[in-house]
Amino acid sequence: MARKALVLGATGLIGGHLVNQLADAAHIGQVVTLTRRAAPHPAAKVRNEIVDFERLSDCASLFEGDLLFSCLGTTRSRAASLAKQRRVDVDYQLQAARLAAEAGVAHYLLVSSSGADPNSRSAYLRMKGELEREVLRLPFPRISIFRPSLLLGDRAEFRPAEWLGSRLLPLLCTLPGLRRYRPIRGEQVAARMVQVSNEPGPAVETFTLDEIFHY
């Protein structure tokens, strides 16, 4: 039976590719993108819903479906403060996950990050780790977490650190023992997520670094 997929972060690097791939996937009957601003898509089975992330509970019915793909995220510079970044990277995603769990979504698929750890010294990795910890407490029948390394691809905004890393890491990762840390393209992460959503799996699974390439 074709399934209904919900997508957070549909306009981002991974999310954009994910929506395109879900639109072409035979096991998906409908894709609902939940965005702050209008994000139309040419595919007939993709429906865009504009939501106020500060009032997600007002649109709880939109979280009814079979799969929730969570690719939402921002940077500290774009959010203008660490507190505002946390609002997007943790609070919005956790609230959406809770609504989806309450609505009976069976499979939650989260884009996290390599090194995610609630005890990390890095604020970014700490936020990712905290989100993972909290969603694992929710009653989803199945949770799949993806921890990619540096993401490559065209973004709407220029990120200097990522630009530099995209040039240096491919060279460094040719050294023995470092290959599994090589950067990955956004469409590759999306493809792995789509594949996992169409296969049976354990109640909880985490795909780290080079494991995401294997599809």
Side-chain angles (χ1 to χ4, degrees):
M1 181 180 294
R3 283 168 280 176
K4 180 179 179 181
L6 313 173
V7 180
L8 292 176
T11 59
L13 177 59
I14 294 175
H17 290 293
L18 180 62
V19 173
N20 291 338
Q21 293 177 25
L22 289 171
D24 292 333
H27 69 290
I28 300 297
Q30 184 180 26
V31 181
V32 179
T33 59
L34 305 171
T35 59
R36 290 183 301 168
R37 292 182 290 273
H41 192 280
K45 65 176 168 181
V46 178
R47 186 179 91 236
N48 178 232
E49 294 284 353
I50 301 173
V51 299
D52 181 352
F53 280 89
E54 293 293 335
R55 301 169 59 102
L56 282 180
S57 58
D58 291 347
C59 52
S61 63
L62 294 179
F63 288 88
E64 296 175 357
D66 302 295
L67 305 156
L68 173 59
F69 294 85
S70 192
C71 313
L72 195 63
T74 188
T75 62
R76 183 172 180 176
S77 60
R78 187 173 185 182
S81 72
L82 187 61
K84 290 181 179 179
Q85 182 185 8
R86 180 183 177 82
R87 191 73 178 141
V88 175
D89 281 15
V90 180
D91 297 344
Y92 290 167
Q93 294 204 78
L94 183 55
Q95 176 67 2
R98 286 172 175 156
L99 291 171
E102 291 170 1
V105 168
H107 191 180
Y108 176 76
L109 301 97
L110 171 68
V111 175
S112 184
S113 173
S114 171
D117 182 346
N119 299 310
S120 174
R121 292 184 179 181
S122 162
Y124 174 77
L125 296 179
R126 189 165 59 248
M127 286 187 284
K128 294 298 185 183
E130 289 174 5
L131 178 60
E132 286 189 17
R133 181 188 63 199
E134 294 306 312
V135 298
L136 286 171
R137 294 172 176 169
L138 298 177
F140 289 107
R142 185 180 178 192
I143 296 175
S144 301
I145 297 174
F146 300 81
R147 292 179 175 175
S149 55
L150 179 68
L151 293 169
L152 302 179
D154 297 328
R155 295 185 184 271
E157 79 280 5
F158 178 64
R159 298 182 180 183
E162 290 188 4
W163 178 87
L164 181 61
S166 69
R167 271 114 183 110
L168 294 179
L169 272 181
L171 297 175
L172 293 174
C173 290
T174 60
L175 299 175
L178 295 181
R179 178 173 167 74
R180 71 189 186 96
Y181 295 102
R182 66 195 187 281
I184 188 168
R185 298 194 65 80
E187 60 262 38
Q188 292 176 298
V189 179
R192 186 67 159 127
M193 296 178 80
V194 173
Q195 181 196 35
V196 169
S197 74
N198 194 34
E199 296 177 344
V204 176
E205 58 192 341
T206 300
F207 298 91
T208 59
L209 299 170
D210 65 332
E211 293 173 347
I212 300 174
F213 283 99
H214 299 160
Y215 61 88

